[in-house]
C-alpha cells in the first residue's frame, strides 16, 4: 500500500516538474519574443538617412548618446546621416541609384516622395514586421493614420505621429505686429496681409523681407484656404472641394491666377525678396530673423515656440486662415521607411519602434544630451542651449512628438490640444486615397520639367502672369495634363467602389 502511494506521489511530482519546466520554457520564449533580449541578438549597425534645416555641428556626440541607448535595448548602433531639406531629394536619389547601403530613410509626400519611391521598389513592406516587432507602435496611432499610410492595402512607411492636420495661415514676427498695431482679426484671406507688408517695406531697413518666398512658391501650401486639394505630385492635378470627385488642373483655376496676380503685385512693390525665384533654402533667411511674414500650412498648437527658434530667437504669432483639416497628404508628410535591400530589417523595425515608444531615445535624438544641449527645468520641461551645436528643432522628423519634452515657454496643454485637433479635424472626402502615378510616369516626368522651367519665376512674382501664364498652361497640356486627369478620375472611381 505504501509503495503504491509512493508511486502515485512520485508520479504527481514528476508531472508537476514537467509542467513547471514547460511553463518556464514558454515564458522564456515569450519574453524573448516580446522584449527581443539583446543577448540573443548579434550586434549590427543601422544606417539612418534624414533631413534637417541644417546639419548640426555636434551630431557625433548625439549619435554616441543614441547608441548607448540602442546597444542596451536592441544591441544595435545607428549611424545618423543628416542632410539638408534642400539637398535631401537629390541625395537620396543618388543613394538609391548607386546601391549605397542604408537601412532606414525619412520620406514624405513633399520631399523624396513616398509614393514614387515605393512604386520604384525602394521600400520594404512593413505589415509583418510591425505585427512582430512593434505592436505597441501599431496601437499608438488612430486607424485613419495607418489607412493614410497604406499603398494598395499595405504599409511601406511609418508616420511620425504629430499633428496630422494642416492649418494654413501666416507666421508673423511679433515685434513687427506690435510695432504697427496689426489687427489679426482683420486678416481673413491671403491678400488681407498687404497693408501690413506695405508698412514694413516703407518703415524697416532694407534687410527685412516683408514677405518671404522661395523658388517653390506658396500656392502649393495654400490649397485649402482656396477651396482646393492637391492630389498628384507637383500640385498639378487636384480637386475643388465643392466637387471632390472630378479632377481639375489646379494651374488653370481662377484661384491660381489670383495668387499669381497678387504675388506679382507684391514683388513689383518690393514686398517679396528679390532672389525668391532662385532661393533654394528659405531657412537661410529665416534663421537670420529677417523674415517679417511667412505663409505656412502647419500652424500647429504650440508651434510658435519652434518657430521662434527657427526665426533667430524672435517671438512670432500665428494668424490662421483655416480650421484644422486632415487628408492623406497631411498624414504622410513625415515618415520612416525601411530599405527593401536592408540586411537588418527586423532590427530597423525595432529601432523605429523605439523611436516612437521610448521617450529617452526620442528626446535624445530630438534635443541632444542633457546638460550639454539642453537643461531640464522640470521633469518634462527643458531649456534648449541653441549655441551648443545641436538644436535641430525638428522632432517631427524623428518619431512620435507626443513623447517629447516641452520646451520652456510652451503651453503644457499643447499636447492635448494637438490630439484633440487630430481627432476632431475635418477629414478630406478623399481620405485614404492615393494616386498611383505608374500608368502616367512619362507624363508626370514631362510635367515636372515644365514646372521646373516656369513655376519659380511665376509663383514668386518675378514674371508677369499676363505674359507667361498662358504659355505655362499650354506647355502643361502638351506634357500630358489631360491624360493624368483621366487616369486620376479612373482611380478615384475605382477607390470609391471599395469604400
Amino acid at each position: 500500500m505504501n509503495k503504491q502511494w509512493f508511486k502515485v506521489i512520485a508520479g504527481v511530482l514528476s508531472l508537476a516538474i514537467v509542467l513547471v519546466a514547460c511553463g518556464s520554457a514558454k515564458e522564456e520564449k515569450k519574453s524573448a519574443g516580446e522584449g527581443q533580449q539583446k543577448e540573443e541578438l548579434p550586434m549590427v549597425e543601422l544606417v539612418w538617412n534624414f533631413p534637417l534645416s541644417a546639419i548640426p555641428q555636434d551630431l557625433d556626440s548625439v549619435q554616441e548618446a543614441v547608441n548607448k541607448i540602442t546597444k542596451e535595448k536592441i544591441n544595435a548602433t545607428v549611424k545618423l546621416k543628416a542632410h539638408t531639406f534642400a539637398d535631401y531629394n537629390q541625395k537620396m536619389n543618388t543613394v538609391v541609384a548607386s546601391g549605397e547601403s542604408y537601412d532606414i530613410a525619412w520620406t514624405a509626400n513633399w520631399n523624396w516622395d513616398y509614393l514614387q519611391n515605393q512604386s520604384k521598389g525602394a521600400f520594404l513592406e512593413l505589415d509583418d514586421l510591425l505585427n512582430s516587432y512593434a505592436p505597441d507602435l501599431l496601437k499608438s496611432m488612430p486607424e485613419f493614420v495607418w489607412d493614410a499610410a497604406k499603398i494598395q492595402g499595405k504599409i511601406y512607411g511609418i508616420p511620425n505621429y504629430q499633428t496630422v492636420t494642416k492649418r494654413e495661415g501666416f507666421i508673423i514676427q511679433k515685434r513687427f505686429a506690435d510695432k504697427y498695431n496689426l489687427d489679426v482679426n482683420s486678416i481673413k484671406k491671403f491678400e488681407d496681409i498687404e497693408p501690413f507688408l506695405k508698412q514694413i517695406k516703407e518703415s524697416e531697413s532694407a534687410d527685412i523681407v516683408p514677405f518671404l518666398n522661395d523658388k517653390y512658391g506658396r500656392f502649393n501650401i495654400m490649397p485649402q484656404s482656396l477651396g482646393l486639394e492637391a492630389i498628384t505630385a507637383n500640385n498639378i492635378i487636384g480637386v475643388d472641394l465643392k466637387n471632390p470627385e472630378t479632377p481639375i488642373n489646379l494651374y488653370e483655376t481662377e484661384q491660381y491666377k489670383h495668387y499669381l496676380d497678387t504675388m506679382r503685385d507684391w514683388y513689383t512693390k518690393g514686398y517679396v525678396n528679390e532672389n525668391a525665384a532662385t532661393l533654394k533654402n528659405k531657412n537661410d533667411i529665416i534663421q537670420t530673423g529677417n523674415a517679417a511674414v511667412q505663409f505656412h500650412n502647419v500652424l500647429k498648437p504650440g508651434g510658435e515656440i519652434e518657430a521662434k527658434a527657427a526665426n533667430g530667437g524672435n517671438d512670432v504669432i500665428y494668424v490662421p486662415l483655416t480650421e484644422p483639416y486632415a487628408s492623406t497628404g497631411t498624414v504622410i508628410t513625415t515618415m520612416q521607411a525601411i530599405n527593401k535591400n536592408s540586411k537588418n530589417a527586423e532590427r530597423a523595425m525595432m529601432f523605429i519602434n523605439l523611436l516612437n515608444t521610448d521617450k529617452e531615445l526620442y528626446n535624445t535624438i530630438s534635443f541632444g544630451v542633457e546638460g550639454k544641449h539642453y537643461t531640464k527645468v522640470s521633469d518634462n520641461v527643458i531649456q534648449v542651449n541653441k549655441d551648443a551645436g545641436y538644436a535641430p528643432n525638428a522632432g517631427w522628423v524623428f518619431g512620435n512628438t507626443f513623447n517629447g519634452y516641452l520646451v520652456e515657454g510652451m503651453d503644457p496643454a499643447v499636447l492635448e490640444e494637438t490630439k484633440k485637433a487630430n481627432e476632431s479635424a475635418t477629414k478630406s472626402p478623399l481620405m485614404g486615397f492615393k494616386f498611383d502615378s505608374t500608368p502616367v510616369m512619362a507624363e508626370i516626368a514631362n510635367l515636372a520639367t515644365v514646372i521646373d522651367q516656369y513655376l519659380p519665376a511665376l509663383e514668386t512674382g518675378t514674371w508677369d502672369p499676363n505674359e507667361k501664364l498662358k504659355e505655362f498652361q499650354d506647355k502643361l497640356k502638351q506634357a500630358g495634363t489631360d491624360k493624368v486627369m483621366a487616369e486620376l478620375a479612373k482611380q478615384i472611381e475605382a477607390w470609391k467602389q471599395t469604400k
Side-chain angles (χ1 to χ4, degrees):
M1 190 72 174
N2 290 338
K3 289 183 178 180
Q4 288 178 333
W5 274 108
F6 178 78
K7 288 180 180 179
V8 170
I9 293 170
V12 170
L13 288 173
S14 296
L15 179 60
I17 291 169
V18 169
L19 290 173
V20 170
C22 288
S24 298
K26 288 179 181 178
E27 287 302 314
E28 183 179 347
K29 184 176 181 181
K30 181 181 178 183
S31 176
E34 290 181 352
Q36 297 302 326
Q37 294 174 335
K38 69 185 181 76
E39 60 267 21
E40 298 178 4
L41 300 170
M43 172 65 74
V44 300
E45 180 184 66
L46 301 172
V47 177
W48 178 22
N49 287 283
F50 56 84
L52 296 171
S53 296
I55 299 174
Q57 295 176 347
D58 198 22
L59 186 62
D60 287 346
S61 66
V62 175
Q63 178 173 283
E64 183 179 344
V66 164
N67 287 336
K68 184 177 180 181
I69 299 169
T70 56
K71 280 181 183 178
E72 173 65 27
K73 298 192 174 182
I74 59 172
N75 208 28
T77 60
V78 185
K79 185 172 181 60
L80 305 179
K81 300 194 73 171
H83 313 277
T84 64
F85 282 112
D87 293 334
Y88 191 70
N89 188 67
Q90 182 180 346
K91 290 275 189 182
M92 288 309 300
N93 284 339
T94 301
V95 166
V96 173
S98 67
E100 180 180 327
S101 178
Y102 75 94
D103 298 284
I104 304 165
W106 181 92
T107 183
N109 59 343
W110 57 277
N111 196 329
W112 203 51
D113 190 82
Y114 173 54
L115 295 174
Q116 288 184 8
N117 283 289
Q118 185 277 331
S119 69
K120 294 175 184 177
F123 302 147
L124 187 67
E125 181 189 316
L126 302 179
D127 297 76
D128 290 342
L129 289 174
L130 276 164
N131 285 311
S132 297
Y133 300 104
D136 291 338
L137 173 54
L138 273 174
K139 297 173 187 174
S140 68
M141 292 183 267
E143 193 62 31
F144 80 85
V145 173
W146 292 112
D147 287 341
K150 291 177 180 176
I151 300 175
Q152 296 180 342
K154 300 294 183 180
I155 296 170
Y156 294 87
I158 309 298
N160 296 317
Y161 193 40
Q162 46 150 358
T163 173
V164 291
T165 69
K166 67 176 179 177
R167 196 175 191 190
E168 300 170 2
F170 295 103
I171 300 176
I172 302 173
Q173 285 198 34
K174 187 175 183 298
R175 55 182 173 141
F176 298 122
D178 291 345
K179 183 175 181 179
Y180 299 108
N181 299 311
L182 176 65
D183 178 10
V184 297
N185 294 318
S186 69
I187 303 173
K188 305 296 184 184
K189 53 188 183 299
F190 181 69
E191 57 269 28
D192 290 344
I193 197 72
E194 182 176 354
F196 181 61
L197 302 181
K198 184 174 186 291
Q199 289 178 302
I200 294 171
K201 175 63 179 176
E202 292 176 348
S203 305
E204 298 297 325
S205 61
D207 58 340
I208 299 298
V209 178
F211 184 82
L212 181 64
N213 208 338
D214 61 21
K215 64 176 291 186
Y216 306 103
R218 300 296 90 189
F219 179 74
N220 68 317
I221 61 170
M222 61 169 59
Q224 187 202 349
S225 58
L226 300 175
L228 306 170
E229 183 171 326
I231 304 295
T232 67
N234 294 318
N235 221 49
I236 307 167
I237 311 300
V239 294
D240 188 315
L241 290 174
K242 293 178 182 177
N243 185 19
E245 298 177 4
T246 304
I248 57 175
N249 180 346
L250 299 183
Y251 294 132
E252 290 185 348
T253 60
E254 286 299 318
Q255 292 97 317
Y256 188 62
K257 178 63 162 62
H258 177 66
Y259 164 82
L260 294 183
D261 287 341
T262 302
M263 201 55 57
R264 175 61 177 173
D265 182 48
W266 291 2
Y267 186 85
T268 56
K269 291 175 178 176
Y271 303 159
V272 178
N273 45 305
E274 289 185 5
N275 68 337
T278 58
L279 182 61
K280 190 176 180 182
N281 187 359
K282 67 182 185 300
N283 291 300
D284 292 342
I285 294 177
I286 294 174
Q287 65 188 4
T288 67
N290 290 334
V293 179
Q294 305 161 54
F295 192 91
H296 206 280
N297 63 340
V298 187
L299 301 187
K300 61 184 179 181
E304 295 92 337
I305 300 299
E306 291 180 17
K308 174 181 178 178
N311 280 265
N314 293 292
D315 286 316
V316 303
I317 59 172
Y318 280 175
V319 182
L321 299 183
T322 63
E323 292 301 317
Y325 183 83
S327 67
T328 303
T330 65
V331 174
I332 61 174
T333 57
T334 171
M335 313 176 79
Q336 309 296 344
I338 295 178
N339 181 4
K340 189 173 184 178
N341 298 317
S342 170
K343 296 177 181 178
N344 299 295
E346 293 85 359
R347 209 73 61 88
M349 178 55 73
M350 292 179 201
F351 175 67
I352 294 173
N353 181 59
L354 284 179
L355 275 174
N356 288 275
T357 60
D358 187 283
K359 292 185 178 182
E360 181 187 12
L361 177 60
Y362 174 78
N363 284 301
T364 299
I365 188 64
S366 296
F367 300 108
V369 179
E370 183 181 357
K372 182 178 185 181
H373 302 118
Y374 70 89
T375 303
K376 273 195 170 184
V377 177
S378 63
D379 284 346
N380 199 45
V381 180
I382 64 168
Q383 184 180 65
V384 175
N385 181 357
K386 62 181 181 179
D387 299 320
Y390 191 83
N393 193 34
W396 54 272
V397 169
F398 304 123
N400 189 329
T401 60
F402 295 104
N403 289 324
Y405 292 134
L406 293 173
V407 176
E408 190 176 35
M410 185 180 289
D411 186 345
V414 162
L415 296 182
E416 284 306 314
E417 288 176 7
T418 302
K419 287 181 180 178
K420 183 178 178 181
N422 285 351
E423 294 164 3
S424 63
T426 300
K427 305 296 190 298
S428 164
L430 295 175
M431 175 63 78
F433 173 78
K434 296 177 196 64
F435 178 55
D436 178 9
S437 61
T438 306
V440 287
M441 285 297 290
E443 287 76 16
I444 293 290
N446 291 337
L447 289 167
T449 299
V450 175
I451 285 173
D452 287 344
Q453 181 182 353
Y454 284 86
L455 185 142
L458 267 175
E459 291 205 2
T460 56
T462 309
W463 283 352
D464 185 344
N466 293 319
E467 298 176 0
K468 289 290 186 176
L469 177 57
K470 182 64 166 59
E471 183 180 319
F472 176 44
Q473 293 169 336
D474 289 345
K475 288 287 183 69
L476 289 174
K477 200 171 188 67
Q478 292 168 16
T481 49
D482 289 345
K483 187 173 180 180
V484 176
M485 279 193 290
E487 179 61 32
L488 178 57
K490 174 183 171 183
Q491 291 186 27
I492 289 176
E493 186 59 33
W495 172 79
K496 280 168 50 186
Q497 300 307 314
T498 69
K499 299 297 287 179

